[in-house]
Amino acid sequence: MKNQPLITVGMMDRQTEVTGSLNGNFRGDGSEPVSGRFSAKAEGGMIVLTDEAFRETARSPSIRLTARQGSTFSLFNVLIGVGFHWERREDQTFQGNLIFQIRRDGMMTVINEISLEDYLTSVISSEMSADAPMEFLKAHAILSRSWLLSGFRQKEKKAETPVRTEKLGTGEIIRWYDREDHDLFDVCADDHCQRYQGITKIVADRVKQAVQETHGRVITFRDEICDARYSKCCGGLTENFDTAWENKRIPYLASISDASGPHQPIETEEEASAWILSDPKAYCRTKDEGLLEKILPGFDRETKNFFRWTVEYSREELEGILREKSGFDFGRLKEIIPLRRGPSGRISRLKIVGSKRSVIVGKELEIRRWLSPSHLYSSAFLVSAQHPPCEENERFIFQGAGWGHGVGLCQIGAAVMATQRFLAEEILKHYFLGVEIKKIY
Ligand SMILES: [Zn+2]
Ligand SMILES: [Zn+2]
């Protein structure tokens, strides 16, 4: 790869009308440059572009406006945080080119075409605080770049492999959710891919520096760009790829001890219990609020106990959650039995036994969805049921370790490593086994 690639980001999808402004000159299909306020409407299989005087400037199923040097564009009323409690609309400003595309159903998609490095600078500044340790920001820049580029490559050779798979047997539901492809663009602008707010938020110099200093650098394994995964906190041991997703081994996404010394992988229930109930040394075992504030976005900071945690439900409460989240009525909930765990203690097959039915559920994300009104922190947990003589007081107690799927880089551990003077490359090589960091453009 000689030059950095361009990436297409789906800004707004399935719209009938979009308004905004071109700040500076853009080149359309005509010879005249266009600028100023605009409106784009989907009308009878065409996109009709009008300027601020409501004059039609273009009409086509696909319109491309190429930015001249230094020009930006703004989109008005962009919906962000879709489906989350912070969902709202705001005006956003972007660098790069603006593309309108008609979908088969006659609706319109708005796409921003931008260089990969500019895109990275933007997503890293909206996802993390600019005060995060520099080597952590650099490690994250290399990781996000690798993840994106490996996605492009997978797309080229994919087609036949399902990204979201379900195996429905008798009383067994094993699901995982992998990257879902978008049809008209590479990534969307929401949390589904990576939150992208263009240059709306002031991009901090330190984030720019982290991206620039790692320009074109990616994580590779046997000369292939790595599908670099990450989660919030591994809990002291990272997890194997196949505990969370497809049944295949990815050598660089294998369990490691997130500490300076080794630790045996968890194999038995006794080992899981001893591990989860212990308070082992690990990079991600930190209560340093100052540091957490620098790496976690605001809405995540409410979670304080993520390294080891406890969640308790009354039996009725858990039955209600299960009914709603799984769609099954288990009747009177009797037992919750881990059937298979990965090396970090995360459960990938769990048996839920009720008076009306028993179901085996997996993998880790589906388990976490079923057992909480939102998501349980992780599937590395022990369940104990308290059955006192009086039935009304029955309780289920979950004691767990870590936050997220635990595969690949542990963000909190990586940030702590950066404060202990580890370099970005050392941090990445700690989490991704046997990899090299290479500059590919
Ligand atoms: Zn997406
Ligand atoms: Zn960790």
Side-chain angles (χ1 to χ4, degrees), residues 118 186 322 363 375:
D118 284 340
D186 299 318
L322 276 169
K363 295 187 170 186
H375 287 88

Side-chain angles (χ1 to χ4, degrees), residues 161-310:
T161 48
V163 278
R164 176 183 179 282
T165 309
E166 237 172 78
K167 188 177 103 190
L168 285 165
T170 41
E172 191 169 332
I173 293 173
I174 306 296
R175 286 183 190 143
W176 64 90
Y177 303 85
D178 214 326
R179 295 181 185 200
E180 268 174 83
D181 280 339
H182 294 292
D183 51 355
L184 295 181
F185 41 85
D186 299 318
V187 289
C188 68
D190 225 309
D191 294 79
H192 171 263
C193 288
Q194 270 184 301
R195 196 177 317 158
Y196 171 58
Q197 295 167 288
I199 50 173
T200 314
K201 296 266 156 66
I202 295 161
V203 173
D205 288 341
R206 296 183 73 246
V207 172
K208 261 189 208 156
Q209 187 192 335
V211 174
Q212 275 165 8
E213 284 183 11
T214 62
H215 184 95
R217 284 185 197 280
V218 292
I219 311 168
T220 63
F221 183 80
R222 293 184 190 140
D223 281 333
E224 294 234 0
I225 302 170
C226 293
D227 179 5
R229 310 268 167 148
Y230 63 92
S231 68
K232 288 261 153 58
C233 169
C234 71
L237 289 167
T238 70
E239 190 46 80
N240 286 345
F241 176 84
D242 63 350
T243 301
W245 298 288
E246 207 182 330
N247 289 325
K248 65 176 182 191
R249 290 268 153 172
I250 299 187
Y252 57 84
L253 295 178
S255 179
I256 57 121
S257 158
D258 195 12
S260 50
H263 192 280
Q264 284 295 104
I266 308 297
E267 282 175 356
T268 64
E269 277 307 298
E270 292 69 44
E271 287 169 3
S273 167
W275 171 248
I276 291 168
L277 298 176
S278 70
D279 191 20
K281 267 203 161 160
Y283 292 121
C284 52
R285 191 190 68 176
T286 178
K287 295 214 188 252
D288 181 345
E289 289 200 22
L291 178 69
L292 292 174
E293 219 163 88
K294 287 176 186 168
I295 48 178
L296 297 176
F299 50 87
D300 276 344
R301 268 179 240 151
E302 291 151 30
T303 313
K304 290 251 154 55
N305 298 318
F306 45 79
F307 188 70
R308 291 294 180 272
W309 48 263
T310 303

Side-chain angles (χ1 to χ4, degrees), residues 60-73:
S60 169
S62 165
I63 296 174
R64 183 195 175 87
L65 300 173
T66 308
R68 293 270 175 88
Q69 182 93 49
S71 298
T72 63
F73 67 87

